[in-house]
Amino acid sequence: MSFYIAGTGSALPEKVVSNDDLAQFLDTSDEWIYTRTGIKRRHILTDERLDDLAVRSAEIALQDAGVAGKDLDLILCATMRGDTFTPSLACIVAEAVGATAPAFDLNAACVGVLYAMEVADSFIVSGKAKNVLIVSAEAMSKLLDWTDRASCVLFGDGAGAMVVKAGEGRLSGVLSTKPDSHVIRMPNIEGLNSPYNKIEQEKLAMHMDGGEVYKFAVNAMGKNIEQACARAQLTPAEIDWYLPHQANLRIIDASLKKFKIDKSKVLTNIEDCGNMSATSVMVLLDQFAKKGTFKRGDKLLFVAFGGGLTSGAVIINWNKD
Ligand code: ACO
């Protein structure tokens, strides 16, 4: 026994920024961004708080699952940075939904939701939890260098959530790291108030070698799909729906090419949302679940890569009407 997905939710900032909007202050164009990445627009936080989006998505997922906050046994939040260092975003969500379960944030960059699903699986398999809330929220717009056209055009903000319950659903999971501190790097604040700090502050922005990330991503996504399918004793053709990390449409196409998968099985929202880091696959799941795309018994494969460098894939049987 492991878990099944019992409810999903998502919440996006109201403000939508198009590629043409970006071209007003950057040397870029809709044509360049769309043909290189598949992105047309993204949601960006203005006067809303990330906390509030995270809570809203959690409330929707709890209602969808028919689970009350007080009945949760664990709350995990996949994020690179909440609005406060402490309390964690997971604790803020716990307070809002009336839960007293253990709650903590987890940072595996864009693969965070898959790492959280595997942690939830361990708690459930070991008998420590029955109902787990997984939330993901990212304010990428607050971490970017808005003068760097090669990175800031790629990202968006958002929040998503799922409730997983003990039962039959998860079929397999694979997580891995290829440790590298240069290819994607986003520094934290260095010794802000310490009179003793002697370490120089790096520029607070994302530094990324796009070409190297691209190569890693295509290779890692392909490998993780093969391994997760092998563990679930399935072939890639037997997967009904692919939910890949939404970093770049060309990366998605290139990593799935060798499996000769029917393109209609590969779900995307990158055109409207850009890359929301860990939150991407969560919002994707909720949007397609709410459209009624998944039927009971469908096999869903989540696959992602991100800073760290982290990667992973999880396969689940959709066990919900
Ligand atoms: N608009 C116009 N021109 C641009 C832009 C832009 N926004 N950005 C870069 N360029 C220019 C470059 O300066 C370069 O010009 P030059 O040839 O005169 O030097 C030219 O376009 C080509 O640049 P390339 O890097 O070759 O473009 P490429 O086709 O590789 O696409 C991209 C770049 C989109 C960044 C791609 O490499 C990519 O998607 N990489 C992966 C990024 C990624 O997935 N990041 C996720 C990070 S992990 C996380 O999610 C936290």
Side-chain angles (χ1 to χ4, degrees):
M1 180 162 70
S2 176
F3 69 73
Y4 67 95
I5 296 175
T8 63
S10 60
L12 297 171
E14 252 177 53
K15 172 89 178 158
V16 175
V17 175
S18 69
N19 292 344
D20 287 334
D21 293 334
L22 295 181
Q24 304 283 319
F25 64 92
L26 277 174
D27 181 14
T28 190
S29 65
D30 175 54
E31 198 271 335
W32 192 97
I33 300 171
Y34 188 60
T35 53
R36 302 281 174 133
T37 69
I39 300 167
K40 274 275 181 200
R41 57 193 76 81
R42 70 287 291 144
H43 294 254
I44 298 286
L45 285 162
T46 52
D47 54 358
E48 296 154 288
R49 289 180 61 88
L50 188 64
D51 291 354
D52 294 333
L53 285 191
V55 168
R56 226 159 66 213
S57 68
E59 287 170 344
I60 297 168
L62 285 166
Q63 191 176 24
D64 189 30
V67 171
K70 67 176 174 44
D71 296 326
L72 290 169
D73 305 307
L74 178 66
I75 299 176
L76 301 167
C77 186
T79 186
M80 289 195 290
R81 198 205 69 153
D83 288 328
T84 47
F85 286 124
T86 193
S88 66
L89 193 46
C91 285
I92 288 171
V93 170
E95 182 181 37
V97 302
T100 53
F104 61 92
D105 290 357
L106 169 164
N107 177 359
C110 309
V111 196
V113 166
L114 279 65
Y115 273 66
M117 286 163 94
E118 290 298 272
V119 172
D121 174 57
S122 302
F123 268 71
I124 289 172
V125 168
S126 67
K128 291 193 179 107
K130 284 201 172 96
N131 297 324
V132 181
L133 172 65
I134 303 175
V135 182
S136 178
E138 299 279 25
M140 297 305 292
S141 66
K142 297 187 181 178
L143 302 172
L144 298 167
D145 176 354
W146 284 93
T147 64
D148 176 16
R149 65 179 183 173
S151 61
C152 73
V153 302
L154 304 174
F155 297 93
D157 303 331
M162 66 168 89
V163 174
V164 304
K165 295 177 86 162
E168 301 304 328
R170 177 190 170 279
L171 298 176
S172 72
V174 183
L175 300 176
S176 59
T177 30
K178 181 174 180 281
D180 185 314
S181 38
H182 300 287
V183 171
I184 306 173
R185 185 173 175 81
M186 215 184 274
N188 207 333
I189 297 163
E190 198 66 76
L192 187 62
N193 298 316
S194 167
Y196 300 104
N197 177 55
K198 293 217 163 35
I199 298 174
E200 210 175 305
Q201 177 68 56
E202 285 178 73
K203 186 171 181 185
L204 291 173
M206 171 178 267
H207 307 277
M208 182 181 75
D209 181 339
E212 283 304 310
V213 176
Y214 196 106
K215 280 188 267 173
F216 165 72
V218 172
N219 187 30
M221 298 236 284
K223 260 195 200 144
N224 281 293
I225 291 170
E226 275 165 3
Q227 287 174 6
C229 283
R231 286 187 191 180
Q233 298 184 316
L234 292 167
T235 64
E238 289 174 303
I239 299 296
D240 296 291
W241 303 106
Y242 281 82
L243 292 94
H245 175 44
Q246 306 286 298
N248 184 325
L249 212 49
R250 286 157 58 214
I251 291 178
I252 295 173
D253 287 346
S255 55
L256 293 174
K257 197 171 166 204
K258 65 177 169 183
F259 302 118
K260 300 189 171 53
I261 293 156
D262 178 350
K263 280 205 169 166
S264 63
K265 290 179 165 190
V266 183
L267 306 182
T268 63
N269 63 5
I270 188 169
E271 185 166 334
D272 297 321
C273 298
N275 177 352
M276 296 178 286
S277 186
T279 305
S280 276
V281 291
M282 198 77 112
V283 172
L284 190 66
L285 173 74
D286 181 53
Q287 289 176 338
F288 282 91
K290 297 286 158 63
K291 281 185 200 165
T293 303
F294 313 130
K295 304 281 170 283
R296 194 178 272 275
D298 279 359
K299 289 169 186 62
L300 277 56
L301 186 148
F302 298 84
V303 60
F305 68 91
L309 299 167
T310 53
S311 64
V314 174
I315 302 178
I316 61 124
N317 222 345
W318 188 251
N319 198 356
K320 179 178 181 332
D321 292 317

Coordinates of all heavy atoms in Angstrom, one line a residue, residues 26-29 32-33 36-37 80 109-110 138 140 148-155 183-184 186 206 208-215 217 245-251 275-278 305-307 309, ligand 1:
L26 N 13.1 45.0 -22.2 CA 14.2 44.1 -22.4 C 14.5 44.0 -23.9 O 13.5 44.1 -24.7 CB 13.8 42.7 -22.0 CG 14.0 42.3 -20.5 CD1 13.4 40.9 -20.4 CD2 15.4 42.3 -20.1
D27 N 15.7 43.7 -24.3 CA 16.0 43.5 -25.7 C 15.6 42.1 -26.1 O 16.5 41.2 -26.1 CB 17.5 43.8 -25.9 CG 17.9 43.6 -27.4 OD1 17.0 43.6 -28.3 OD2 19.1 43.5 -27.7
T28 N 14.3 41.9 -26.3 CA 13.8 40.5 -26.6 C 12.6 40.7 -27.5 O 12.2 41.8 -27.8 CB 13.5 39.7 -25.3 OG1 13.3 38.4 -25.7 CG2 12.3 40.3 -24.6
S29 N 11.9 39.6 -27.9 CA 10.7 39.7 -28.7 C 9.9 38.4 -28.4 O 10.3 37.4 -28.0 CB 11.1 39.7 -30.2 OG 11.7 38.4 -30.5
W32 N 11.2 35.5 -30.4 CA 12.4 34.8 -29.9 C 11.9 33.9 -28.7 O 12.3 32.7 -28.6 CB 13.4 35.8 -29.4 CG 14.8 35.1 -29.0 CD1 15.8 35.0 -29.9 CD2 15.1 34.4 -27.8 NE1 16.8 34.3 -29.3 CE2 16.4 33.9 -28.0 CE3 14.5 34.1 -26.7 CZ2 17.1 33.1 -27.1 CZ3 15.1 33.3 -25.7 CH2 16.4 32.8 -25.9
I33 N 11.2 34.4 -27.8 CA 10.8 33.7 -26.6 C 9.9 32.5 -27.0 O 10.2 31.4 -26.5 CB 10.1 34.6 -25.5 CG1 11.0 35.7 -25.1 CG2 9.7 33.7 -24.3 CD1 10.3 36.8 -24.2
R36 N 11.9 29.7 -29.0 CA 12.9 29.0 -28.2 C 12.4 28.2 -27.0 O 13.1 27.3 -26.5 CB 13.9 30.0 -27.7 CG 14.6 30.8 -28.7 CD 15.7 30.1 -29.4 NE 16.3 30.9 -30.4 CZ 17.6 31.0 -30.6 NH1 18.5 30.5 -29.8 NH2 18.0 31.7 -31.7
T37 N 11.2 28.6 -26.5 CA 10.7 28.0 -25.2 C 9.3 27.5 -25.2 O 8.9 26.7 -24.4 CB 10.8 29.1 -24.1 OG1 9.8 30.1 -24.3 CG2 12.2 29.7 -24.0
M80 N 11.4 27.0 -3.0 CA 12.8 27.5 -2.8 C 12.9 28.6 -1.8 O 13.9 28.9 -1.2 CB 13.4 27.9 -4.2 CG 13.7 26.8 -5.1 SD 14.7 27.2 -6.5 CE 13.6 28.2 -7.4
A109 N 14.5 22.4 -5.6 CA 14.2 23.2 -6.8 C 13.0 22.7 -7.6 O 12.0 22.4 -7.0 CB 15.5 23.3 -7.7
C110 N 13.1 22.6 -8.9 CA 12.0 22.3 -9.7 C 11.4 20.9 -9.5 O 10.4 20.5 -10.0 CB 12.3 22.5 -11.2 SG 13.0 24.1 -11.5
E138 N 5.9 29.1 -5.5 CA 7.2 29.7 -5.9 C 7.0 31.1 -6.4 O 6.1 31.4 -7.2 CB 7.9 28.9 -7.0 CG 8.2 27.5 -6.7 CD 9.5 27.3 -5.9 OE1 10.0 28.3 -5.2 OE2 10.1 26.2 -6.1
M140 N 9.0 33.1 -8.3 CA 10.3 33.2 -9.1 C 10.6 34.6 -9.5 O 11.7 35.0 -9.6 CB 10.1 32.3 -10.4 CG 9.9 30.9 -10.2 SD 11.2 30.1 -9.2 CE 12.6 30.3 -10.3
D148 N 18.6 40.3 -17.0 CA 19.2 39.2 -17.8 C 18.1 38.5 -18.6 O 17.3 37.7 -18.2 CB 19.7 38.2 -16.8 CG 20.3 36.9 -17.5 OD1 20.5 37.0 -18.7 OD2 20.5 35.9 -16.8
R149 N 18.1 38.9 -19.9 CA 17.0 38.4 -20.8 C 17.1 36.9 -21.0 O 16.1 36.3 -21.4 CB 17.1 39.1 -22.2 CG 18.4 38.8 -22.9 CD 18.4 39.5 -24.3 NE 19.6 39.1 -25.0 CZ 19.9 39.4 -26.2 NH1 19.0 40.2 -26.9 NH2 21.0 39.0 -26.8
A150 N 18.2 36.3 -20.8 CA 18.4 34.9 -21.0 C 17.7 34.0 -20.0 O 17.5 32.9 -20.1 CB 19.8 34.5 -21.2
S151 N 17.4 34.6 -18.8 CA 16.8 33.9 -17.7 C 15.4 34.4 -17.3 O 14.4 33.7 -17.1 CB 17.7 33.7 -16.5 OG 18.0 35.0 -15.9
C152 N 15.3 35.7 -17.2 CA 14.0 36.3 -16.6 C 12.8 36.0 -17.5 O 11.7 36.0 -16.9 CB 14.1 37.7 -16.2 SG 14.1 38.9 -17.6
V153 N 12.9 35.8 -18.8 CA 11.8 35.6 -19.6 C 11.2 34.2 -19.4 O 10.1 33.9 -19.9 CB 12.1 35.8 -21.1 CG1 12.7 37.2 -21.4 CG2 13.1 34.7 -21.6
L154 N 11.9 33.3 -18.7 CA 11.5 31.9 -18.7 C 10.5 31.6 -17.6 O 9.8 30.5 -17.6 CB 12.7 31.0 -18.4 CG 13.9 31.1 -19.4 CD1 15.1 30.3 -19.0 CD2 13.4 30.7 -20.8
F155 N 10.4 32.5 -16.5 CA 9.7 32.0 -15.3 C 8.4 32.8 -15.0 O 8.1 33.8 -15.5 CB 10.7 32.2 -14.1 CG 11.9 31.4 -14.2 CD1 13.0 31.8 -14.8 CD2 11.9 30.1 -13.8 CE1 14.2 31.0 -14.9 CE2 13.0 29.2 -13.9 CZ 14.1 29.7 -14.5
V183 N 25.9 25.3 -12.6 CA 25.1 25.4 -13.8 C 23.8 26.2 -13.5 O 23.4 27.0 -14.3 CB 24.8 23.9 -14.2 CG1 23.7 23.9 -15.3 CG2 26.0 23.3 -14.8
I184 N 23.2 25.9 -12.3 CA 22.0 26.8 -11.9 C 22.4 27.2 -10.5 O 22.6 26.3 -9.6 CB 20.7 26.0 -11.9 CG1 20.4 25.4 -13.2 CG2 19.6 27.0 -11.5 CD1 19.2 24.5 -13.2
M186 N 21.4 30.2 -7.4 CA 20.6 31.4 -6.9 C 21.0 31.6 -5.5 O 20.6 31.0 -4.5 CB 19.1 31.0 -7.0 CG 18.3 32.2 -7.3 SD 16.6 31.8 -7.3 CE 16.3 31.1 -8.9
M206 N 19.3 34.8 -10.3 CA 19.6 33.5 -10.8 C 20.7 33.5 -11.8 O 20.7 34.4 -12.7 CB 18.3 32.9 -11.5 CG 18.6 31.6 -12.2 SD 17.2 30.9 -13.0 CE 16.7 29.8 -11.7
M208 N 22.5 31.1 -14.6 CA 22.2 29.9 -15.2 C 22.9 29.7 -16.5 O 23.0 30.7 -17.3 CB 20.7 29.8 -15.5 CG 20.2 28.6 -16.1 SD 18.4 28.7 -16.4 CE 18.3 29.7 -17.8
D209 N 23.5 28.6 -16.7 CA 24.1 28.2 -18.0 C 23.1 27.5 -18.8 O 22.9 26.2 -18.7 CB 25.4 27.4 -17.8 CG 26.1 27.1 -19.1 OD1 25.4 27.1 -20.2 OD2 27.3 26.7 -19.1
G210 N 22.3 28.2 -19.6 CA 21.1 27.6 -20.3 C 21.4 26.4 -21.1 O 20.7 25.4 -21.0
G211 N 22.6 26.4 -21.8 CA 22.9 25.3 -22.7 C 23.2 24.1 -21.9 O 22.8 22.9 -22.3
E212 N 24.0 24.2 -20.8 CA 24.3 23.1 -19.9 C 23.0 22.5 -19.3 O 22.9 21.3 -19.1 CB 25.3 23.5 -18.8 CG 26.7 23.6 -19.3 CD 27.2 22.3 -20.0 OE1 27.1 21.2 -19.5 OE2 27.7 22.5 -21.2
V213 N 22.1 23.4 -18.8 CA 20.9 22.9 -18.2 C 20.1 22.1 -19.2 O 19.5 21.1 -18.9 CB 20.0 24.1 -17.7 CG1 18.7 23.6 -17.2 CG2 20.7 24.9 -16.7
Y214 N 20.1 22.6 -20.4 CA 19.3 22.0 -21.5 C 19.8 20.5 -21.7 O 19.0 19.6 -21.7 CB 19.5 22.8 -22.8 CG 18.6 22.5 -23.9 CD1 17.6 23.4 -24.2 CD2 18.7 21.3 -24.7 CE1 16.7 23.2 -25.2 CE2 17.8 21.1 -25.7 CZ 16.8 22.0 -26.0 OH 15.9 21.8 -27.0
K215 N 21.1 20.4 -21.8 CA 21.7 19.0 -22.0 C 21.4 18.1 -20.8 O 21.0 16.9 -21.0 CB 23.2 19.1 -22.2 CG 23.6 19.5 -23.6 CD 25.1 19.4 -23.8 CE 25.8 20.7 -23.5 NZ 27.2 20.8 -23.5
A217 N 19.0 18.3 -18.7 CA 17.5 18.1 -18.6 C 17.1 17.0 -19.5 O 16.3 16.1 -19.2 CB 16.8 19.4 -18.9
H245 N 8.1 18.6 -16.2 CA 8.4 19.9 -15.7 C 8.3 20.9 -16.9 O 8.8 20.6 -18.0 CB 9.7 20.0 -15.1 CG 10.2 21.3 -14.7 ND1 9.3 22.2 -14.0 CD2 11.4 22.0 -14.8 CE1 10.0 23.3 -13.8 NE2 11.2 23.2 -14.3
Q246 N 7.7 22.1 -16.7 CA 7.4 23.0 -17.8 C 8.5 24.1 -17.9 O 8.3 25.2 -17.5 CB 6.1 23.7 -17.5 CG 4.9 22.7 -17.4 CD 4.5 22.0 -18.6 OE1 4.1 22.7 -19.6 NE2 4.6 20.7 -18.7
A247 N 9.7 23.6 -18.3 CA 10.8 24.6 -18.4 C 11.0 25.1 -19.8 O 11.3 26.3 -20.0 CB 12.1 23.9 -17.9
N248 N 10.8 24.3 -20.8 CA 11.0 24.6 -22.2 C 10.4 23.5 -23.0 O 10.7 22.4 -22.8 CB 12.5 24.7 -22.4 CG 12.9 25.2 -23.8 OD1 12.1 24.9 -24.8 ND2 13.9 26.0 -23.9
L249 N 9.5 23.9 -23.9 CA 8.8 23.0 -24.8 C 9.8 22.1 -25.6 O 9.6 20.9 -25.8 CB 7.9 23.7 -25.8 CG 6.6 23.0 -26.2 CD1 5.9 22.4 -25.0 CD2 5.7 24.0 -26.9
R250 N 11.0 22.8 -26.0 CA 12.0 22.0 -26.8 C 12.6 20.9 -25.9 O 12.9 19.9 -26.4 CB 13.0 23.0 -27.3 CG 12.5 23.8 -28.5 CD 13.3 25.1 -28.7 NE 14.7 24.8 -28.9 CZ 15.7 25.6 -28.5 NH1 15.4 26.7 -27.8 NH2 16.9 25.3 -28.7
I251 N 12.8 21.2 -24.6 CA 13.4 20.2 -23.7 C 12.4 19.0 -23.6 O 12.8 17.9 -23.6 CB 13.7 20.8 -22.3 CG1 14.8 21.8 -22.4 CG2 14.0 19.7 -21.3 CD1 15.2 22.5 -21.1
N275 N 7.8 28.8 -16.6 CA 8.4 27.8 -15.6 C 8.1 28.3 -14.2 O 8.7 29.4 -13.8 CB 9.9 27.7 -15.9 CG 10.6 26.8 -15.0 OD1 10.0 26.3 -14.0 ND2 11.9 26.5 -15.3
M276 N 7.3 27.6 -13.4 CA 7.0 28.0 -12.0 C 7.8 27.1 -11.1 O 7.4 26.8 -10.0 CB 5.5 27.9 -11.8 CG 4.7 28.9 -12.6 SD 2.9 28.7 -12.3 CE 2.6 27.2 -13.1
S277 N 9.0 26.6 -11.5 CA 9.8 25.7 -10.7 C 9.0 24.5 -10.2 O 8.2 24.0 -11.0 CB 10.4 26.6 -9.6 OG 11.3 25.8 -8.8
A278 N 9.1 24.2 -8.9 CA 8.4 23.0 -8.4 C 6.9 23.0 -8.7 O 6.3 22.0 -8.9 CB 8.7 22.9 -6.9
F305 N 13.3 18.1 -13.7 CA 14.7 18.3 -13.4 C 14.8 19.7 -12.9 O 13.9 20.5 -13.0 CB 15.5 18.2 -14.7 CG 15.2 19.4 -15.7 CD1 15.9 20.6 -15.6 CD2 14.1 19.3 -16.5 CE1 15.6 21.6 -16.4 CE2 13.8 20.4 -17.3 CZ 14.5 21.5 -17.3
G306 N 15.9 20.0 -12.2 CA 16.1 21.4 -11.7 C 17.4 21.6 -11.0 O 18.3 20.8 -11.0
G307 N 17.5 22.8 -10.4 CA 18.8 23.2 -9.7 C 19.2 22.2 -8.7 O 18.4 21.5 -8.0
L309 N 22.2 19.6 -9.1 CA 21.1 19.4 -10.1 C 20.2 18.2 -9.6 O 20.8 17.1 -9.3 CB 21.6 19.1 -11.5 CG 22.4 20.3 -12.1 CD1 23.2 19.8 -13.3 CD2 21.5 21.4 -12.4
Ligands
ACO1 N1 15.6 37.4 -26.3 C1 16.4 37.6 -27.4 N2 17.6 37.0 -27.5 C2 18.1 36.3 -26.4 C3 17.3 36.1 -25.3 C4 16.0 36.7 -25.2 N3 15.2 36.6 -24.2 N4 18.0 35.3 -24.4 C5 19.2 35.0 -25.0 N5 19.2 35.6 -26.2 C6 20.3 35.5 -27.2 C7 21.6 35.1 -26.7 O1 22.2 36.3 -26.1 C8 22.3 34.6 -27.9 O2 22.8 35.7 -28.6 P1 24.3 35.6 -29.3 O3 24.2 34.4 -30.2 O4 24.4 36.9 -29.9 O5 25.2 35.4 -28.1 C9 21.2 34.0 -28.7 O6 20.0 34.5 -28.2 C10 21.1 32.4 -28.6 O7 21.2 32.1 -27.3 P2 21.2 30.5 -26.9 O8 21.6 30.4 -25.5 O9 22.0 29.7 -28.0 O10 19.7 30.1 -27.1 P3 19.1 28.7 -26.9 O11 18.4 28.3 -28.1 O12 20.0 27.8 -26.2 O13 17.9 29.0 -25.8 C11 17.4 28.9 -23.5 C12 18.3 29.6 -24.6 C13 15.9 29.2 -23.8 C14 17.7 29.6 -22.1 C15 17.7 27.4 -23.5 O14 19.1 27.2 -23.4 C16 17.0 26.7 -22.3 O15 15.8 26.7 -22.2 N6 17.8 26.2 -21.4 C17 17.3 25.6 -20.2 C18 16.9 26.6 -19.2 C19 16.1 26.0 -18.1 O16 15.4 25.0 -18.3 N7 16.2 26.5 -16.9 C20 15.5 25.9 -15.8 C21 16.3 26.2 -14.7 S1 15.9 25.2 -13.3 C22 14.7 25.9 -12.6 O17 13.6 25.8 -13.2 C23 14.8 26.6 -11.3

